[in-house]
Amino acid sequence: MFITDTFATARRAIGVNRKRSMLTMLGVIIGVSSVVLMTAVGASMEVLILSQISSIGAQSMVVFPGQKEGVESTLAAGFDSLTFDDVEALERLTTITSVAPAIFVDIPTAVYGREKTQPRVIATTPPYFQNREMPVAVGRVLEERDIMRARHVVVLGSDIADDLFGLEDPVGKQVRLGDLQYTVVGVLEPVGTQFFQNADEFVFIPLTTGRAVTGQKHVNVITLQAVGDFDLAQADVESLLRQRHGIVNPEGDTDEDDFIVRTSQQANDILGAVSLGLTLFITTIAGISLVVGGIGIMNIMLVAVTERTREIGLRKAVGARGRDILLQFLFEAILLTLFAGIAGVVFGVGLAGLAALIVDKYLESYDFALSVPAIGLALAMAILTGLVFGIYPARQASKLSPMNALRYE
Amino acid sequence: MAKQNPPLIETVDLCKSYFNDGMETPVLFDIDLTIREGEFISIMGPSGSGKSTLMHILGFLDTPTSGSYLFRGQKTRVLHDDELARIRATRVSFVFQAFNLLPRTTVLDNVILPLLYHPTIPASERTERGMKAIEQVGLTERATYFTNQLSGGQQQRTAIARSLVTEPDVIFADEPTGNLDSASGIQVMEVLQNLHSKQGRTIVLVTHEKTTAEYAERVIHILDGRIATDTRDFKRNHAKNVKHLK
């Protein structure tokens, strides 16, 4: 008996009972396809989240005002723990460069001629655009002289520019923000969503202009860059702010701080934790469904052994050894789960593609991504399921006495 | 003629009992039987007499409880399962009452099934050997048919071809006509008889029908697990008896 004969025999047996084989495989197909689907969604989410946080460069930090005892800071003002004096102090740190404070100016509408739109107005300084990696498409970004003179100039996000000007060139035109007229000096490249906010809906005015309009004494956010060692720079920022705010926090417990430093490292850590959790969750689900599918396979294989008792008897009567029968039924179980695994992968990839199409409509920059190791693992698990759950029925078959098997009605 | 041939099968004091829940049910008692190469022998007896059990033991499908069984002079009780399987693959073959063909499988694939388990015949020779066996039972034109497309007689001839394909030392036929109408039964018996008379094959036929048993030269009657009569040159004797009765 050659291994190829065993293989051919097993394949034929599956083909003869095609309908039942399909039903048998269903459990494993569902198991494998759900693994593939879930990991694909996970991979897509990872890509999405990565694209959101990659707007903080590796050397960048973002400091938000916070509140003691870890109440989340909100982007929409509220906390006033960061001051312009803090900004000046930060600028003096040698481990830090490119400090750009920003305040959120509450201006609900931007108007140009008869066009009207809802921008998010940010008052900031020139380094902001480098820190946030926002390149200019036409015109220029804010410059030092705009800050010095508190000029009424504005740089538009690409969506706002589209809304107000359409195909017209916005540079040099006047836009009304609230009660005041601003001259458009530049339009940014589309950058998509950052931190799940559409950055193309931002408009930027000089920090000094924003302060004059709002009279605000505190800063909503500070972006800055580390020079040299990142961890050292972060420690400098944190200890400076603690010292200035009179916080005694030698352990570096961030719950004690009244500010939050966000770094790409942190974001990566969070992402890693999230995706680890997701992976564990999916693996558990996959494990359960594969066990359920495997029991289904074992059940059907046991039925097949009973049903084909006479066939087993015949094969033994014409010279099959116990191990020939064992291998035949084991191969059958493994082939079943292999086919089921492949079908599950195809099905799962299809579903993931469909999911990507649908989600993309609601969540910008959600892209189709697959986790190749997960697919390989799911396939391997499926085959292992066949092996594990196929052994018992196969052993039962191999142990049948040929005479009793032949007599079996 | 057959008498001079060396013994193929020899049993001495062969006994068989079945055990159910510790209860012993004896089936065969002290069977002493010698079958020589080239013999065509019928084992007759009513149902429950033990004739099928004897055939199963002789065909290495079952093992005796006590006594000895020598096949080609070799003691069989010391054989392991794998060795028994090897003997079944190479030395003996079976024709069953219920045909036991694989459904939804062609005649050829059914016939070459034993070759899958044959230890020495290479895969490349399977089809050729299979077709040769099919030719001997006159089913060449049906070789690619599925077995469920055949008549009962054709199915049994397929089974006979399957029993020939490994060129065994002995063919055991267990009630081969039991599921057939009389015309098909005669056809099947003629095929078996030809194999014996033209090719000198050893055939052990188990039946309870006298008309079927008559094809053999030697008839053994089993009654209650013992050999009751052993008649050689059965045809001649039988013919004499018939004449006598007339």
Side-chain angles (χ1 to χ4, degrees), chain A residues 1-2 5 9 12 16 310-311 314-321 323-324 328 402-403 406-407, chain B residues 18 53 56 61-62 82 85 88-89 94 96 98 100 102 104 109 113-114 116-117 123 126 162:
Chain A
M1 188 87 185
F2 301 101
D5 293 328
T9 304
R12 189 172 305 154
V16 164
R310 286 176 74 102
E311 179 197 318
L314 170 72
R315 286 178 185 275
K316 285 201 154 181
V318 300
R321 294 163 300 176
R323 105 181 68 133
D324 295 326
Q328 182 194 330
M403 189 198 50
L406 278 169
R407 274 196 192 148
Chain B
Y18 288 111
T53 304
H56 289 143
L61 291 173
D62 205 352
D82 279 3
R88 291 198 297 267
F94 298 91
F96 303 100
N100 284 338
L102 298 179
R104 280 163 285 189
D109 281 340
L113 181 71
L116 298 190
Y117 303 105
R126 283 178 193 163
R162 182 180 64 197

Side-chain angles (χ1 to χ4, degrees), chain B residues 25-46:
Chain B
T25 315
V27 183
L28 293 175
F29 304 91
D30 306 325
I31 302 288
D32 295 317
L33 175 65
T34 302
I35 299 172
R36 291 175 186 278
E37 277 178 26
E39 275 195 282
F40 185 177
I41 178 169
S42 284
I43 300 175
M44 282 193 76

Side-chain angles (χ1 to χ4, degrees), chain A residues 1-6 9 314-315 317-321 324, chain B residues 85-86 88-93 102 107-134 161-168:
Chain A
M1 188 87 185
F2 301 101
I3 209 82
T4 47
D5 293 328
T6 316
T9 304
L314 170 72
R315 286 178 185 275
V318 300
R321 294 163 300 176
D324 295 326
Chain B
R86 195 184 164 99
R88 291 198 297 267
T90 55
R91 299 287 184 195
V92 303
S93 66
L102 298 179
V107 169
L108 179 63
D109 281 340
N110 265 287
V111 168
I112 64 172
L113 181 71
L115 297 181
L116 298 190
Y117 303 105
H118 198 284
T120 54
I121 294 175
S124 54
E125 289 180 23
R126 283 178 193 163
T127 305
E128 193 194 326
R129 283 172 185 264
M131 289 310 294
K132 206 177 125 200
I134 290 168
R162 182 180 64 197
S163 76
L164 290 172
V165 77
T166 54
E167 307 270 338

Side-chain angles (χ1 to χ4, degrees), chain A residues 238-259:
Chain A
E238 283 170 352
S239 59
L240 176 80
L241 290 174
R242 278 173 200 145
Q243 187 201 327
R244 289 183 54 79
H245 297 183
I247 297 164
V248 184
N249 186 4
E251 279 92 36
D253 179 4
T254 49
D255 283 353
E256 297 288 315
D257 294 337
D258 60 359
F259 58 90

